Amino acid sequence: MDTPNSLRNSLGEAQLTLEWADGEQQQISHTRLRGACPCSQCKSARLRGVISMVDEGVRLERIALQGYGVQLVFSDGHERGIYPWEYLRELGGMLMASRMKPIR
């Protein structure tokens, strides 16, 4: 299982930084993490096409290790999602890829 070497939560910058064993470093905003919550309730809403706006002021308040990932607790009270390591890696990779696309 690919697990990060370190996790750093910055409330001031509102982002979670993950450092992986291969040296890759990813930064994911708290807003993006909350909007991509993998819990069944949030997944179901996304599959139905319901787009919930995430308040830009939402913050990641607590991280609880779950072995295969982390449970993230947000300032809006949401705490149902457990984010597997693989999902976090993919989420961070998607963000990096979107930043690297050329502007036309």
Side-chain angles (χ1 to χ4, degrees):
M1 177 183 347
D2 190 20
T3 61
N5 287 342
S6 71
L7 292 171
R8 285 190 313 272
N9 183 32
S10 171
L11 290 174
E13 294 178 17
Q15 67 184 12
L16 178 67
T17 301
L18 300 100
E19 291 185 21
W20 300 93
D22 63 5
E24 183 175 356
Q25 184 177 34
Q26 297 174 320
Q27 296 173 331
I28 309 171
S29 74
H30 292 171
T31 305
R32 178 68 177 122
L33 287 165
R34 177 61 180 89
C37 177
C39 80
S40 61
Q41 184 178 6
C42 292
K43 272 186 180 179
S44 175
R46 285 192 299 272
L47 289 172
R48 291 189 322 269
V50 176
I51 298 174
S52 299
M53 298 303 291
V54 176
D55 184 332
E56 286 291 325
V58 74
R59 293 294 181 262
L60 174 57
E61 294 185 330
R62 188 166 48 91
I63 300 170
L65 295 176
Q66 298 296 325
Y68 65 94
V70 288
Q71 178 184 15
L72 303 180
V73 179
F74 294 93
S75 59
D76 65 358
H78 195 70
E79 59 182 18
R80 292 175 173 229
I82 296 178
Y83 295 68
W85 298 126
E86 184 177 335
Y87 181 66
L88 285 170
R89 181 113 195 206
E90 289 172 11
L91 189 59
M94 284 187 269
L95 293 172
M96 290 195 61
S98 70
R99 290 181 193 136
M100 295 172 67
K101 288 183 181 176
I103 298 173
R104 298 177 194 227

